[in-house]
Amino acid sequence: MLDDNKAAGLLTLLDAGGNPRVSGRDDLAGRTLIDVAGWAPSPDGLKFVTNQCTGSKYSDDIGDVLVAEVDEENANPNDVAMRMLRDGEGDAIFLMADQASHYSSCTEGAVHNCELWAGQGTDYAYVQTGQFGYVRNGTTFALSEIGSGIHNLLEPCMAEFMGGIEYYELCARYDIIDKCYKNDYFDEDRRSEAPFDKPTSEQFGDCSDGYCPCDSIAADDVLSDEGGSGGDGYEGFPVVAAVGIAFGAALILVAAMAAMAAVAMVRKRRRVQEEKEQTMNQAKELKQRVLTSGAAAADGTASISTGRHSH
């Protein structure tokens, strides 16, 4: 009955340098997500949404999905989810993309914890917005046995009602014109152009407005000139450097060993060739001696015979 204009998104914390914990390009493999119990979107909706930066679905190897439920201190599960995120229990919250916009602006009688939701653009921001695919797994309007024909009865009835003035008057009465499907009785398309309805690929600048663009780099991947992240220091840098040095040394050692092996092989071939030539030379010399000795013996025999005939 309502248009799918309620976008979902991913919300994460920012470090001191304004870098998100999770990049918008992250496929969420191994990431721990937080779901707001009883509120759309549900965690299985992640299978239907598209990463607005990569154009791909999320990984099938997403880590744990923690459910934020009401407790004694928090009657609002959205507050519980934000508390869990701030306490480091998860990497991101999968929730409505406009949730922070509503909760960061506190009015008298607010039913949520205003302090928890303060700091949009400084403490936290969305790294994904404009995700509508989850509605394919949305609320069931009618449920019936397969082959009952109920679908064929409801479809034309709904189409007729939603194309008439009664549908428009119902939407106007409850001030949800921007959430209804537009028909000929709607004067204008009041679909929201707010940043939370835009895909992340259309977000620009930085995360300071609470909506990170696709090129925002995750805090863990940002290295400062001092080898740190966001001004707080990147503790993993010495490890990375050590691994790099060790890897480089290993490559040098392998190259040196290969060079030594090649030199040894050349020397061996040269020695074998020299031995072969020496053997051949010795064979030639021996052959020459045999031929020379044979010739000399033949000459001696001839001389003796001649002497006997002279007598």
Side-chain angles (χ1 to χ4, degrees), residues 118-161:
Q120 183 180 10
T122 54
D123 295 347
Y124 65 89
Y126 282 92
V127 290
Q128 280 291 315
T129 50
Q131 295 180 316
F132 294 99
Y134 76 94
V135 298
R136 293 179 56 191
N137 193 44
T139 305
T140 301
F141 184 81
L143 185 67
S144 63
E145 185 178 353
I146 296 177
S148 65
I150 297 297
H151 170 77
N152 295 331
L153 293 175
L154 288 177
E155 193 74 14
C157 180
M158 290 180 60
E160 181 181 357
F161 172 73

Side-chain angles (χ1 to χ4, degrees), residues 30-111:
R31 294 289 190 180
T32 299
L33 301 183
I34 302 172
D35 167 59
V36 182
W39 287 60
S42 56
D44 49 359
L46 280 167
K47 300 177 182 179
F48 299 93
V49 298
T50 299
N51 184 312
Q52 298 296 319
C53 293
T54 64
S56 303
K57 298 294 184 182
Y58 287 108
S59 170
D60 292 330
D61 298 321
I62 295 176
D64 295 332
V65 178
L66 308 179
V67 180
E69 300 180 302
V70 295
D71 53 28
E72 296 179 356
E73 297 182 1
N74 299 283
N76 189 325
N78 291 283
D79 289 348
V80 178
M82 177 57 84
R83 173 61 66 190
M84 293 170 67
L85 182 67
R86 288 183 178 272
D87 289 345
E89 297 183 36
D91 296 304
I93 309 174
F94 183 47
L95 77 171
M96 289 301 180
D98 64 349
Q99 198 68 49
S101 176
H102 294 315
Y103 276 23
S104 61
S105 301
C106 275
T107 57
E108 186 177 353
V111 295

Side-chain angles (χ1 to χ4, degrees), residues 166-249:
E166 293 86 357
Y167 176 70
Y168 167 77
E169 291 174 344
L170 184 65
C171 295
R173 183 189 311 168
Y174 292 97
D175 194 23
I176 55 172
I177 289 180
D178 58 329
K179 295 180 175 63
C180 292
Y181 286 96
K182 183 181 178 182
N183 62 25
D184 293 338
Y185 297 95
F186 287 73
D187 295 332
E188 59 182 1
D189 187 356
R190 293 174 55 182
R191 182 182 291 273
S192 172
E193 295 182 357
F196 44 73
D197 282 330
K198 296 180 180 179
T200 315
S201 58
E202 296 181 11
Q203 307 286 3
F204 301 100
D206 53 25
C207 302
S208 60
D209 62 349
Y211 306 96
C212 296
C214 288
D215 58 4
S216 293
I217 303 175
D220 289 345
D221 297 331
V222 178
L223 299 180
S224 68
D225 293 337
E226 294 79 16
S229 170
D232 293 334
Y234 180 55
E235 297 178 357
F237 179 73
V239 177
V240 174
V243 172
I245 293 173
F247 184 74

Side-chain angles (χ1 to χ4, degrees), residues 296-306:
D299 291 341
T301 301
S303 299
I304 293 173
S305 298
T306 304

